[in-house]
Amino acid sequence: TLEAGTYYAQVVHDRYSNNNPYSPEERPPSDYTLHLEATTFDRPGDTPETARDLGTTPNGVLYEGFIGHGNERDVYRFQVDDTTDFDFAVRGVHTAMRVSLTWDSNGDGAIDYLDESRSRSCYDTGSIALGQVLESGTYYLTVESQGGNSDYLLSSLATPVTASDRA
C-alpha cells in the first residue's frame, strides 16, 4: 500500500546477465511494454474525526470493509433528521469483533467517554445485528477487531417512525 504521492518507475537493461551475449556498448535496443496500475481505496477512518460519511439517514447502505492487523477499527458517521428505527448488520465475520453505535448524548460537540454508546460483540464467525430507534443528531458506527483479521459487509435498514408509532 502506498500513500498518496508521486512515484517513479525505472527500466534498465540487465548488463550483467549471463544470458546476454552483448557488451553494454553493443546491446541492441529492446522493445517492451510497461503497464502500471493503481487502485484507490476509500477506507473509513479510525476515529470520529476521520470517519467515513454515510450521509443523512443511510438506508440500504452496503459497504465492504476489512479490519485486523494495521486497521483495527473502521468508523462511519451519519446524520439523522427525523426519528428513525435503524437496523445495522455486519455479515461475513471471520474473527471476534465488536460493533458500536455512539452519539453525542451530552451535546458538547465531541464524542468522548461521557457519551452514550450501544454495542454488540461476535466471538466467532457469523454476523452481528444492532438495532436502535434514533432521534435527530449525528451518530458514529464503529466496527472493531477483537484480535483477528476479517473482511465484512455492513448494511443498514432505516424505517421512519411516525407519530402514530410513538403513541
Side-chain angles (χ1 to χ4, degrees):
T1 303
L2 299 174
E3 296 298 321
T6 302
Y7 296 87
Y8 300 92
Q10 182 178 12
V11 179
V12 279
H13 280 281
D14 183 3
R15 295 180 187 191
Y16 305 106
S17 170
N18 292 335
N19 298 327
N20 185 352
Y22 301 102
S23 69
E25 296 79 27
E26 300 174 320
R27 181 168 297 119
S30 298
D31 291 331
Y32 65 90
T33 301
L34 176 64
H35 177 78
L36 299 175
E37 189 173 307
T39 303
T40 302
F41 294 99
D42 183 16
R43 294 187 178 143
D46 57 1
T47 67
E49 294 78 23
T50 61
R52 180 172 190 208
D53 190 1
L54 298 179
T56 303
T57 313
N59 188 17
V61 168
L62 287 176
Y63 183 78
E64 293 181 22
F66 169 83
I67 55 169
H69 302 293
N71 183 43
E72 287 77 25
R73 87 181 45 81
D74 288 343
V75 182
Y76 301 88
R77 176 183 54 248
F78 63 96
Q79 304 283 355
V80 175
D81 289 338
D82 298 308
T83 303
T84 305
D85 187 0
F86 273 95
D87 289 301
F88 295 97
V90 178
R91 294 180 171 77
V93 178
H94 299 290
T95 188
M97 70 169 43
R98 179 175 57 210
V99 176
S100 302
L101 179 66
T102 307
W103 57 98
D104 183 17
S105 57
N106 61 5
D108 67 357
I111 297 298
D112 52 37
Y113 70 95
L114 298 172
D115 292 312
E116 291 187 48
S117 183
R118 183 159 185 242
S119 65
R120 300 283 309 264
S121 295
C122 174
Y123 296 102
D124 55 12
T125 62
S127 63
I128 300 173
L130 182 63
Q132 179 83 29
V133 174
L134 303 177
E135 302 294 329
S136 64
T138 300
Y139 294 85
Y140 297 87
L141 187 72
T142 303
V143 180
E144 188 171 13
S145 172
Q146 299 290 291
N149 297 323
S150 183
D151 293 317
Y152 66 88
L153 179 64
L154 169 66
S155 62
S156 70
L157 176 64
T159 307
V161 176
T162 63
S164 63
D165 292 334
R166 294 182 213 164

